[in-house]
Amino acid sequence: MAEPAQRPIIIVKRPKKGGGGHHGGAWKVAYADFVTAMMAFFLVMWLVTAVNKDQRAAIFEYFKNPSMQEGKAPKAAPGALGPGGASTSVINLHGGLDSPKARLRQNQGFGALQETRPTTVEEAKRLADAAERKKLESLLEDLKKAIEQSQALKPFKDQLLLDITPEGLRIQIVDKQNRPMFDLGSAKLKPYTAQILSTLAPYLTTVPNRISISGHTDTTPYTAQAGYNNWDLSADRANAARRALESGGLAPDKIARIVGLSSSVLFDKDNPRNPINRRISIIVMTHEAEESALKTDTAPEVDPANLPAAAPVPPPPSPPAR
């Protein structure tokens, strides 16, 4: 019996259809870079809006020069935080911590914004003068706004002259033709003049500076009574202005000086009899001007050793014997 023929074995290979091959994690790296960049961007935006102008300038300067000191060598100074960072060496390597202009306190950590302190007396005085001038300029703007908005001051805005002088903020109340500040030849204030001074008084209390008041006249001679002249009149008018300011709420100790200058300081030198020369000048003095003004009236310093010896005090008389 014949053997059956063996059938050939047929192998069918069917390829599996699926997604693409493995691409690796490169996209994750790109995405991480994108997220980091966005985080840095929003951090910078927050930092720009969260700090003031001076702090932004300090940050800008830090990134220009991280060592906080101008470099003089082509190679940055080594430090614990890398080249150009703060030096921790016993020897001064001119790192950030070795800079005399910006001492950062260790307990607040590196990168904390610190307010640099003045290094000299002159620098401290300059900063104080700048801050004081800024306050006076702010007061000047407040007064200008008040004059425009106040019903009591607006009609007289052309008679209120405001400016900044080396002595401080000056407020001048001047006479005008047919609208004088005082009665003719008198130290009595017109009602509207008293109202102007009372309105100005609260603004003068907003700054700690003391004020000086001076009275001025024109060159027209004053011949009302024997011995009373423009010197007396200008001093009396300055005192009348002082009383009106105190009635408006100005503390008496805010007044540093009352001066009557007659016609010695003319506003219009070309026309000595111009009504504008008759005025009251109020100066919100700087501290330097105040010290200079008061120094002229203080007694000179005398060494106690050079003072004359006091005369001996005689003993009291003994009671009579009874």
Side-chain angles (χ1 to χ4, degrees):
M1 183 173 182
E3 294 181 359
Q6 294 182 353
R7 296 180 179 179
I9 300 174
I10 300 174
I11 300 175
V12 179
K13 294 182 178 181
R14 294 188 176 92
K16 295 181 179 180
K17 296 182 180 180
H22 181 65
H23 296 287
W27 68 273
K28 298 179 182 178
V29 177
Y31 180 72
D33 291 341
F34 171 76
V35 172
T36 303
M38 292 301 295
M39 181 183 67
F41 172 75
F42 286 111
L43 182 62
V44 170
M45 296 299 293
W46 169 81
L47 194 60
V48 168
T49 58
V51 299
N52 57 36
K53 183 178 179 181
D54 295 334
Q55 291 173 330
R56 284 199 299 270
I59 295 171
F60 176 74
E61 183 64 26
Y62 173 79
F63 282 104
K64 283 180 61 180
N65 182 20
S67 67
M68 308 182 77
Q69 182 171 339
E70 291 185 6
K72 298 180 181 179
K75 184 178 179 180
L81 299 182
S87 172
T88 57
S89 173
V90 177
I91 302 175
N92 186 355
L93 296 178
H94 303 290
L97 293 181
D98 298 325
S99 174
K101 294 184 179 181
R103 303 288 187 182
L104 296 179
R105 288 183 290 183
Q106 297 278 357
N107 57 357
Q108 291 194 357
F110 295 99
L113 291 175
Q114 296 290 321
E115 182 179 357
T116 57
R117 296 182 179 180
T119 57
T120 62
V121 177
E122 291 78 7
E123 185 179 357
K125 182 178 180 300
R126 180 181 60 81
L127 293 175
D129 292 344
E132 185 178 49
R133 183 177 179 86
K134 189 174 182 180
K135 289 182 180 179
L136 293 179
E137 290 175 350
S138 177
L139 176 60
L140 175 64
E141 295 301 321
D142 291 342
L143 287 173
K144 288 181 178 180
K145 292 179 182 178
I147 292 172
E148 291 294 333
Q149 298 174 1
S150 172
Q151 297 295 329
L153 299 179
K154 192 171 183 179
F156 308 98
K157 64 178 182 179
D158 55 343
Q159 293 177 253
L160 291 170
L161 309 179
L162 310 177
D163 61 344
I164 298 289
T165 70
E167 291 185 337
L169 169 61
R170 181 172 61 183
I171 307 168
Q172 296 189 95
I173 308 174
V174 301
D175 267 12
K176 190 177 180 182
Q177 193 69 32
N178 301 325
R179 194 191 289 170
M181 295 290 104
F182 296 86
D183 289 341
L184 181 63
S186 169
K188 183 179 179 181
L189 292 167
K190 292 288 188 182
Y192 48 80
T193 310
Q195 188 177 8
I196 290 173
L197 292 168
S198 297
T199 306
L200 290 176
Y203 291 93
L204 300 179
T205 61
T206 59
V207 291
N209 307 65
R210 301 175 72 187
I211 69 172
S212 168
I213 305 175
S214 56
H216 303 263
T217 65
D218 57 13
T219 57
T220 304
Y222 183 84
T223 56
Q225 51 185 336
Y228 192 91
N229 55 25
N230 281 339
W231 289 101
D232 302 284
L233 182 62
S234 60
D236 289 344
R237 287 181 171 180
N239 266 307
R242 172 189 59 81
R243 289 190 291 269
L245 288 172
E246 292 178 356
S247 299
L250 187 68
D253 58 358
K254 290 278 289 183
I255 309 293
R257 184 174 59 180
I258 303 291
V259 184
L261 295 175
S262 183
S263 58
S264 61
V265 183
L266 295 173
F267 190 92
D268 184 2
K269 296 180 180 180
D270 296 332
N271 186 5
R273 296 198 176 187
N274 189 334
I276 201 173
N277 291 315
R278 302 190 296 267
R279 67 196 188 278
I280 292 294
S281 179
I282 303 170
I283 298 180
V284 183
M285 295 190 296
T286 63
H287 292 297
E288 184 178 359
E290 178 185 347
E291 291 176 0
S292 177
L294 299 180
K295 190 180 297 183
T296 58
D297 297 327
T298 56
E301 296 183 0
V302 180
D303 188 356
N306 297 329
L307 293 175
V313 179
S318 58
R322 293 184 179 178

